[in-house]
Amino acid sequence: MKISPVEDLFSVINDTAIILQEELSITFLEALAETGENIFQNSILQEDLSELTEKRLKKSYESLQLNSHTAEEIRKSFQLAILKGMKESAQPNHQMTPDAVGLLVGYLVNKFVTKSTYRLFDPAVGTGNLLTTVMNQQLEKEIDGMGIDIDDLLIKLAYVNANLQQHPVELFNQDSLEPLFIELADAVVSDLPVGFYPNDVRANDFQLKSEKGHSYAHHLFIEQSLNYTKPGGYLFFIIPNGLFESEEAPKLHQYLKETAYIQGILQLPLSMFRQQNAAKSILILQKKGEDVKAPKQVLLVNLPSLSNGVQVESILSKIDVWMAENK
Ligand code: SAM
């Protein structure tokens, strides 16, 4: 049986991570970050490994030819390994953006952001899967990536992920809702963390703070992202379907009216989600600025199941028609 390049890569990453996990008594995800760094640095960086372990690792790494793989192959194999690790540790905030969503967002970024060189920011970068899925689709464009996450293990995985795919990405391990010392972005992609933001004092600095109790983190993330985007820049958010229906929604509407133009809302197929109340959409915004006009019509799409080729084709041509009329 022929083994695909992704399976091939996955098995080296997986085998070496298991060796390090056992030898160092760490979790599989931690071991994944370690082995990824070894592969990138082309050396075994952990000290005090037994001779036998070093030998086994070396043998495995030697079978690897990273340069013969595309960035997408590397991303997919690393993603498979992360998914395996997340299943084992099952932490609620360890969630990776699924491929199908990343591919759609990448398609949209390609359509909307026409600059040949630009800065792409993900303020909830997690493992970097969404950010690098999008970057891998922007052919013949030069992109500087930028990502922040509050979780130190996830940001380590993002760092290794970006390095192995040879993407220039600046990463920061901090709370994205604190003041940021970064250059403004041309575009933002983000699978927003949904829930309450525990820091009421900091939330007070946002227009979208709640009048009573904790504020919605996802609302504050939208405001913060707009704060760090250049005028005219585009933002692509994965949002809960009920975003515009909560008791805080009128304030969000008013805020968006003042700062951005809603370009489109694309509802992801319900079949993609285990529970209907966890279903999501893609919200596309353009930050206001000189010469930036509202679209004649907002692009509203209910995406069909992505396995239905004919329906997907027809939706993609609807998006093309909308682009021709509005952009
Ligand atoms: N797109 C990511 C990926 O492909 O791996 C997954 C994003 S996940 C749905 C949301 C992320 O937001 C989590 O990684 C979580 O750690 C991060 N997060 C939650 N609150 C945060 C905060 N205040 N500042 C920075 N990151 C935060």
Side-chain angles (χ1 to χ4, degrees), residues 3 9 30 47 60 86 111 119 125 142-143 147-148 166 168 172 186 197 212-213 248 272 276 298 312 322:
I3 296 185
L9 262 174
E30 287 164 340
E47 288 169 4
S60 225
M86 285 183 167
K111 292 264 165 199
R119 184 168 275 274
V125 72
E142 212 175 292
I143 301 174
I148 304 183
Q166 302 199 354
F172 304 90
D186 298 284
Y197 181 55
K212 48 181 190 323
E248 292 290 324
M272 224 183 232
Q276 290 224 349
V298 174
V312 171
W322 183 91

Side-chain angles (χ1 to χ4, degrees), residues 108 264-268 280-284 299 301 303 319:
L108 294 166
I265 302 177
L266 292 82
Q267 194 178 320
L268 293 162
K280 306 245 167 121
S281 298
I282 302 173
L283 169 69
I284 310 171
L299 173 67
V301 170
L303 288 158
I319 295 176

Side-chain angles (χ1 to χ4, degrees), residues 3 7 40 46 66 78 92 97 101 137 151 182 196 222 229-230 239 327:
I3 296 185
E7 282 172 308
F40 178 65
Q46 298 71 30
L66 211 56
F78 206 64
T97 307
V101 178
Q137 282 178 80
D151 188 297
I182 57 168
F196 291 111
I222 292 176
T229 303
K230 291 180 192 164
I239 56 161
K327 290 281 129 195

Side-chain angles (χ1 to χ4, degrees), residues 55-73:
K55 242 193 205 152
R56 288 171 67 204
L57 286 174
K58 232 186 208 154
K59 188 160 174 244
S60 225
Y61 291 143
E62 271 166 11
S63 68
L64 195 74
Q65 280 176 321
L66 211 56
N67 291 342
S68 65
H69 292 284
T70 62
E72 259 307 86
E73 284 167 2

Side-chain angles (χ1 to χ4, degrees), residues 68-97:
S68 65
H69 292 284
T70 62
E72 259 307 86
E73 284 167 2
I74 297 170
R75 184 190 66 76
K76 282 188 184 153
S77 50
F78 206 64
Q79 172 190 245
L80 282 178
I82 294 174
L83 279 175
K84 177 185 158 183
M86 285 183 167
K87 255 195 206 141
E88 275 174 22
S89 69
Q91 284 225 33
N93 57 342
H94 282 181
Q95 276 169 7
M96 193 166 37
T97 307

Side-chain angles (χ1 to χ4, degrees), residues 23-256:
E23 177 90 10
L24 302 172
S25 303
I26 52 179
T27 65
F28 182 78
L29 282 180
E30 287 164 340
L32 208 50
E34 296 285 330
T35 197
E37 185 66 354
N38 285 353
I39 295 171
F40 178 65
Q41 301 283 355
N42 203 9
S43 123
I44 296 173
L45 301 165
Q46 298 71 30
E47 288 169 4
D48 303 329
L49 296 179
S50 71
E51 216 171 290
L52 179 66
T53 301
E54 280 212 19
K55 242 193 205 152
R56 288 171 67 204
L57 286 174
K58 232 186 208 154
K59 188 160 174 244
S60 225
Y61 291 143
E62 271 166 11
S63 68
L64 195 74
Q65 280 176 321
L66 211 56
N67 291 342
S68 65
H69 292 284
T70 62
E72 259 307 86
E73 284 167 2
I74 297 170
R75 184 190 66 76
K76 282 188 184 153
S77 50
F78 206 64
Q79 172 190 245
L80 282 178
I82 294 174
L83 279 175
K84 177 185 158 183
M86 285 183 167
K87 255 195 206 141
E88 275 174 22
S89 69
Q91 284 225 33
N93 57 342
H94 282 181
Q95 276 169 7
M96 193 166 37
T97 307
D99 251 16
V101 178
L103 291 171
L104 263 167
V105 175
Y107 175 86
L108 294 166
V109 170
N110 217 357
K111 292 264 165 199
F112 280 84
V113 187
T114 49
K115 285 184 172 178
S116 57
T117 312
Y118 65 91
R119 184 168 275 274
L120 181 63
F121 174 38
D122 184 346
V125 72
T127 63
N129 196 46
L130 172 66
L131 183 66
T132 57
T133 307
V134 171
M135 287 175 91
N136 285 343
Q137 282 178 80
Q138 314 307 306
L139 301 177
E140 286 161 32
K141 289 185 185 165
E142 212 175 292
I143 301 174
D144 279 326
M146 203 160 55
I148 304 183
D149 205 282
I150 201 160
D151 188 297
D152 56 346
L153 175 56
L154 296 184
I155 204 93
K156 238 189 239 166
L157 291 168
Y159 165 80
V160 170
N161 211 352
N163 275 344
L164 292 177
Q165 296 179 55
Q166 302 199 354
H167 284 309
V169 180
E170 254 182 295
L171 292 162
F172 304 90
N173 181 204
Q174 69 157 92
D175 180 349
S176 289
L177 299 175
E178 291 289 344
L180 305 177
F181 300 98
I182 57 168
E183 275 182 53
L184 297 188
D186 298 284
V188 169
V189 289
S190 200
D191 184 354
L192 298 178
V194 177
F196 291 111
Y197 181 55
N199 185 345
D200 293 336
V201 176
R202 176 62 191 148
N204 252 328
D205 294 337
F206 289 84
Q207 291 187 46
L208 291 177
K209 67 167 188 275
S210 166
E211 292 312 324
K212 48 181 190 323
H214 292 325
S215 304
Y216 282 135
H218 42 300
H219 288 207
L220 305 186
F221 260 81
I222 292 176
E223 181 172 339
Q224 183 78 329
S225 301
L226 277 157
N227 287 343
Y228 288 92
T229 303
K230 291 180 192 164
Y234 287 99
L235 303 95
F236 304 80
F237 294 117
I238 316 299
I239 56 161
N241 279 354
L243 183 78
F244 292 110
E245 284 150 28
S246 78
E247 72 282 9
E248 292 290 324
K251 222 197 243 162
L252 177 63
H253 260 300
Q254 184 55 34
Y255 170 79
L256 287 179

